[in-house]
Amino acid sequence: MLFSSISFLYYFLPLTLAFYFVVPRAFKNTILLLASLLFYGWGEPKYLMLMGLSTLLGYGFGLLVEKYREKKAGKVFCVFSVGISLSFLVCFKYADFFIQNVNAITGLQLSFLRLTLPIGISFYTFQIISYTVDVYKGERAQKNLIHLATYIAMFPQLIAGPIVRYSDIAGQLTHREYSWHGIAWGIRRFVIGLAKKILLANQLGELCSIFRASQDSSVLFCWLYAIAFTLHIYFDFSGYSDMAIGLGSVLGFRFQENFNYPYISASITEFWRRWHISLGAFFRDYVYIPLGGNRKGRGRQLFHILVVWMLTGLWHGAAWNFILWGAFFAVLLTVEKLWLLRKLEKSRLLSRIYTLFFVMLSFVIFNGENLGQAFSDMAGLFGGGGIPLVSQEALYCLLSFKIVLLVGIIGATPAACNWVRKISKSPTGGKVLNLLEPVVLTVLMLVMTAYLVDGSFNPFLYFRF
């Protein structure tokens, strides 16, 4: 089930919230868990058992890790829990990729498993790992299975994050506050996220699809595609994160921010502090620091960066273009750490141009169906293959999508937010905004509902991962 669907917005969500707020506090997690299982099982009922088994194993290992935390057995149980969780992920997500490469290297004809990738497995696996490791580090194990299952299966962030660390939410599972302010803020955040998804990401995704289907390639068209996809993936994923954070607020939870205007960054290092913040924090705290971080000399630090970014690329998908994408960022981050960061500080404008340029190149690699297509798209940006500078279809698309592109470019910066914040600080402006806000949100919902009823282009990119 998609957040951006009629069934979710007008059936599932209202009924879930009605039951959630009617039942006594002691039963709210039960209602939330049942709703989350229905939400997940709506599209993939056969994989409910896999998520249930993963949850039970995480619950059992968590109790064992806490019991033997001061002994060697505690570490053993923690390693076992992490290993089993990762084995499920590897089996479903990477097995055929490994088999394909073994066959290519050795000439063998090993059969593919052809397992369907369970939706959200990359996210809930990391949350189970977060729980087990946090318990090993000193967090109290969750004795109530329903509370733990609610944390792992919670529908707002189950499918595409943000990745919520157990230590950040443990207290909220048993004690959380509800307020009209939190509910109103959550609704506003959800509607804004939904608008990002339907009114911007979906339209930009259509432009990318037109480019992919076109036979009239040109340098201009390749750059239009690169810009459109860079904006598309931001509004698609940050929109979903906004919706998850907003729903969490309505339900009384406080999830961490996942995006902070990454396209205004003045370095790749800064970009990754602003982009998919929860994933970056996970790899930092559960991979980079345990490996030794920057504590074992510059050479080891650079090796740790390479490991983390190869894993980050692989986490996004079982394909060589994702691995190359991770390695691409590893190289850029290494170069910045060695000498480039100091030079970037001399010009904020040039540093931002540099960052956007390489981020766009990275997303061209990211969105290739394979390495061949990624390299072809990359070459097209610089006139490779003898393509012309301009084509008729590129000009048509530029004219057709110019408003969406312009709104997307402005919306990817804090300019609009800063403008609204500035107006809200004046007494008159604040009153006007308070009156206009419910009207604007209502109009947005009506427009977006019309798009959904019309059956417009409505995929969600991160369902692939």
Side-chain angles (χ1 to χ4, degrees):
M1 190 184 299
L2 292 169
F3 284 176
S4 53
S5 66
I6 295 295
S7 55
F8 177 83
L9 293 171
Y10 292 103
Y11 298 101
F12 175 86
L13 187 57
L15 287 172
T16 296
L17 293 179
F19 280 108
Y20 182 80
F21 285 111
V22 164
V23 301
R25 185 179 292 265
F27 297 103
K28 289 191 186 300
N29 280 351
T30 302
I31 293 296
L32 185 51
L33 175 59
L34 291 173
S36 298
L37 294 176
L38 175 61
F39 175 84
Y40 189 78
W42 188 274
E44 288 193 320
K46 64 182 179 181
Y47 284 131
L48 278 171
M49 292 183 64
L50 176 65
M51 187 169 65
L53 176 60
S54 299
T55 301
L56 286 172
L57 289 170
Y59 175 74
F61 276 117
L63 295 176
L64 291 170
V65 168
E66 182 184 51
K67 182 176 180 179
Y68 296 101
R69 187 160 45 207
E70 303 303 323
K71 301 177 183 179
K72 187 177 180 180
K75 185 174 184 178
V76 172
F77 285 128
C78 182
V79 170
F80 262 78
S81 178
V82 172
I84 291 172
S85 294
L86 288 176
S87 70
F88 289 149
L89 182 62
V90 168
C91 180
F92 282 92
K93 191 169 183 176
Y94 303 106
D96 282 352
F97 175 67
F98 293 146
I99 292 170
Q100 178 186 26
N101 284 281
V102 168
N103 286 347
I105 293 169
T106 65
L108 296 174
Q109 297 293 322
L110 300 177
S111 299
F112 293 112
L113 300 183
R114 303 192 188 283
L115 297 173
T116 303
L117 179 65
I119 291 174
I121 189 172
S122 297
F123 290 91
Y124 74 70
T125 296
F126 273 22
Q127 296 202 169
I128 294 171
I129 291 172
S130 166
Y131 168 68
T132 309
V133 175
D134 285 354
V135 170
Y136 178 71
K137 289 180 176 179
E139 193 73 41
R140 293 183 62 182
Q142 180 56 253
K143 305 300 190 295
N144 189 312
L145 179 58
I146 289 178
H147 292 347
L148 181 64
T150 300
Y151 158 68
I152 293 168
M154 198 184 307
F155 75 85
Q157 40 72 232
L158 170 64
I159 301 300
I163 299 167
V164 180
R165 290 176 54 164
Y166 180 74
S167 58
D168 291 338
I169 203 175
Q172 298 177 50
L173 289 169
T174 51
H175 300 95
R176 52 187 180 270
E177 297 299 323
Y178 308 94
S179 67
W180 287 113
H181 172 76
I183 293 171
W185 184 89
I187 292 171
R188 182 192 314 128
R189 188 69 182 268
F190 178 85
V191 174
I192 290 171
L194 189 64
K196 281 184 178 181
K197 165 64 183 160
I198 295 175
L199 302 182
L200 290 174
N202 286 359
Q203 312 312 311
L204 292 161
E206 281 198 73
L207 175 52
C208 296
S209 296
I210 291 168
F211 168 81
R212 199 52 87 202
S214 174
Q215 301 297 317
D216 190 20
S217 188
S218 64
V219 174
L220 174 62
F221 211 172
C222 288
W223 278 104
L224 268 180
Y225 160 71
I227 294 168
F229 184 75
T230 299
L231 292 170
H232 166 69
I233 193 173
Y234 169 69
F235 287 114
D236 196 63
F237 194 20
S238 71
Y240 198 101
S241 293
D242 286 341
M243 288 186 272
I245 292 167
L247 287 175
S249 182
V250 171
L251 297 168
F253 291 94
R254 299 294 177 266
F255 298 152
Q256 74 169 99
E257 293 295 332
N258 211 22
F259 289 86
N260 182 23
Y261 298 108
Y263 294 154
I264 66 169
S265 301
S267 67
I268 298 299
T269 301
E270 183 185 354
F271 173 80
W272 277 103
R273 293 192 187 115
R274 294 172 174 271
W275 177 276
H276 205 342
I277 297 168
S278 62
L279 180 67
F282 183 93
F283 275 109
R284 179 195 66 216
D285 295 339
Y286 297 108
V287 180
Y288 179 72
I289 292 176
L291 282 174
N294 60 0
R295 303 187 305 273
K296 297 185 178 182
R298 181 56 67 113
R300 284 292 297 274
Q301 181 190 14
L302 298 180
F303 173 71
H304 297 157
I305 290 172
L306 178 62
V307 170
V308 164
W309 285 98
M310 295 293 278
L311 290 175
T312 301
L314 195 59
W315 179 85
H316 281 85
W320 281 107
N321 64 300
F322 292 118
I323 297 173
L324 177 62
W325 178 78
F328 182 79
F329 277 117
V331 170
L332 289 173
L333 290 166
T334 298
V335 171
E336 287 189 357
K337 283 196 177 295
L338 290 176
W339 65 277
L340 188 56
L341 273 180
R342 293 187 295 274
K343 296 186 179 296
L344 291 173
E345 292 171 359
K346 295 178 181 179
S347 172
R348 194 75 177 169
L349 175 61
L350 290 177
S351 61
R352 283 177 169 168
I353 292 172
Y354 144 83
T355 303
L356 270 177
F357 176 74
F358 281 107
V359 166
M360 279 196 288
L361 291 187
S362 79
F363 283 134
V364 170
I365 296 171
F366 183 94
N367 198 45
E369 289 294 325
N370 49 56
L371 281 179
Q373 188 181 74
F375 288 138
S376 176
D377 293 341
M378 187 85 77
L381 296 172
F382 306 100
I387 61 175
L389 289 175
V390 180
S391 61
Q392 288 298 316
E393 193 166 5
L395 290 172
Y396 176 80
C397 285
L398 179 60
L399 291 172
S400 299
F401 288 90
K402 62 181 183 295
I403 301 298
V404 175
L405 288 166
L406 180 61
V407 172
I409 290 168
I410 295 171
T413 74
C417 247
N418 291 340
W419 180 71
V420 170
R421 193 178 293 115
K422 185 177 180 180
I423 292 175
S424 67
K425 288 181 179 178
S426 70
T428 305
K431 290 178 182 178
V432 171
L433 286 178
N434 287 336
L435 290 172
L436 283 178
E437 183 182 76
V439 176
V440 171
L441 294 179
T442 301
V443 170
L444 278 175
M445 281 302 301
L446 290 173
V447 171
M448 291 185 289
T449 300
Y451 269 92
L452 295 177
V453 169
D454 185 52
S456 301
F457 183 87
N458 190 35
F460 179 62
L461 182 67
Y462 263 68
F463 274 16
R464 292 165 56 189
F465 311 129

